[in-house]
Amino acid sequence: MTPFRLALLPFRIDRPRDLDDFLAGIDRRIDAAKALGADRAALPEYAAVALAGAFVEAADLPAELESVVSRADALVDGFRRIARAHGIGLLAGSLPMRSADGAIRNRAPLIDPEGRIGFQDKRLMTRFESESWGISPGEAPRVFETGWGRIGVAICYDSEFPSLVRAQALAGADLILVPSCTDALHGFNRVRYSAQARALENQCYTAVIPTIGEAPWSGALDVNRGRACAFGPVDRGFPEDGVLAAGALEDEAPVLVTLDPERLAATRADPAVRNRTDWPENPAPAPVVALT
């Protein structure tokens, strides 16, 4: 398989006039990424929640959630149209969607250039999601077969748990996309360092895509901090710190990174260390011993 260019698209939260205005903003971002030569593009966690600003006047968590959930199908249809129109693979961030059981889950649509789609749920909820917003845990991690190769999605907090990403790596994922939404640098750095650790542990690519900016009218997206960044193995054939690309803090400029499956395969075949295959699967709890 040949290398491809991935555009990481930090999303500055602004207030759209309506659904069409929101989707037009997404279309402009994808158009700009395509003009830069991107084959694929990725948006952040909960970027779609900015749509609530068109329907809810002031911060109101239940009303914001319902305004987006009730339009989730229209949002997904719009994302698919945009991907097809530009002929680009698209991770459309994530959005709250109601499942068949009535629960609301945080779900990431991964769309190919022909508009085919798959969804990855967020598995583990932050305190805000579970205690304030009522978002339910989703299905287990999965891996998507794409024209480039196998891709996994670990939504924000999920990236902080090695076993979730490890399951995707064992299924052959060469790239883990990490859409994020964090309101403080503590949160962003937890995700950023976790994503880099997952790349080191599994000798794969990872990429973080954040929401940025302030939206005092929103109870869900009032403050957003982070930067786009991409990582590879910390091993021969890659940068000494494993950082492949990084944008400036709270900068909405697209960050482009070229991902080469052959480069990854070469490093895995003859690495300095074998993090990917030396992983101790299902370790037992460490014994507790007394000092003597």
Side-chain angles (χ1 to χ4, degrees):
M1 286 177 282
T2 59
F4 76 92
R5 299 190 81 191
L6 171 66
L8 312 178
L9 303 178
F11 190 90
R12 186 171 300 280
I13 302 301
D14 54 16
R15 194 166 199 166
R17 295 186 300 274
D18 51 29
L19 176 63
D20 288 342
D21 185 44
F22 175 80
L23 290 172
I26 300 295
D27 186 79
R28 287 192 296 272
R29 288 173 169 88
I30 302 305
D31 186 60
K34 190 73 175 181
L36 292 172
D39 304 298
R40 296 184 180 274
L43 291 161
E45 178 187 33
Y46 287 139
V49 174
L51 176 63
F55 304 100
V56 181
E57 290 189 8
D60 182 334
L61 285 174
E64 290 172 46
L65 184 62
E66 180 56 31
S67 71
V68 179
V69 170
S70 64
R71 295 170 176 86
D73 289 344
L75 281 163
V76 171
D77 287 344
F79 292 140
R80 294 177 76 179
R81 288 195 303 271
I82 290 168
R84 285 195 301 264
H86 292 282
I88 196 170
L90 175 63
L91 174 70
S94 78
L95 68 162
M97 300 184 72
R98 195 177 304 278
S99 300
D101 62 2
I104 297 174
R105 293 183 167 86
N106 183 5
R107 188 159 285 169
L110 186 69
I111 307 166
D112 76 5
E114 288 74 44
R116 292 184 291 262
I117 192 168
F119 292 93
Q120 174 63 62
D121 290 348
K122 189 173 186 176
R123 181 65 170 165
L124 299 172
M125 300 298 101
T126 62
R127 292 189 64 185
F128 168 77
E129 288 173 303
S130 62
E131 297 173 14
S132 300
W133 230 17
I135 307 295
S136 297
E139 294 183 5
R142 54 184 59 181
V143 167
F144 302 95
E145 196 78 69
T146 75
W148 174 76
R150 292 181 181 176
I151 294 176
V153 181
I155 303 174
C156 202
Y157 192 44
D158 282 356
S159 70
E160 299 179 32
F161 297 89
S163 61
L164 296 181
V165 174
R166 181 62 174 169
Q168 294 170 316
L170 289 173
D174 288 337
L175 167 64
I176 308 295
L177 295 169
V178 184
S180 71
C181 178
T182 51
D183 63 1
L185 289 182
H186 289 94
F188 168 72
N189 283 321
R190 283 195 298 270
V191 174
R192 176 252 188 269
Y193 290 117
S194 294
Q196 184 162 18
R198 304 297 82 83
L200 181 155
E201 294 162 353
N202 297 294
Q203 293 177 314
C204 67
Y205 294 119
T206 62
V208 179
I209 316 96
T211 50
I212 58 174
E214 297 186 7
W217 44 266
S218 173
L221 300 175
D222 52 343
V223 179
N224 303 267
R225 306 201 69 189
R227 71 177 75 203
C229 41
F231 309 103
V234 186
D235 210 315
R236 59 181 61 146
F238 286 87
E240 292 177 342
D241 60 359
V243 178
L244 303 180
L249 184 64
E250 296 177 39
D251 187 350
E252 61 186 324
V255 172
L256 265 70
V257 58
T258 298
L259 303 180
D260 185 350
E262 292 187 3
R263 182 184 185 189
L264 198 61
T267 296
R268 289 173 175 172
D270 186 25
V273 290
R274 299 189 183 277
N275 297 93
R276 184 177 177 86
T277 54
D278 285 344
W279 186 289
E281 299 297 342
N282 300 317
V288 178
V289 298
L291 299 178
T292 58

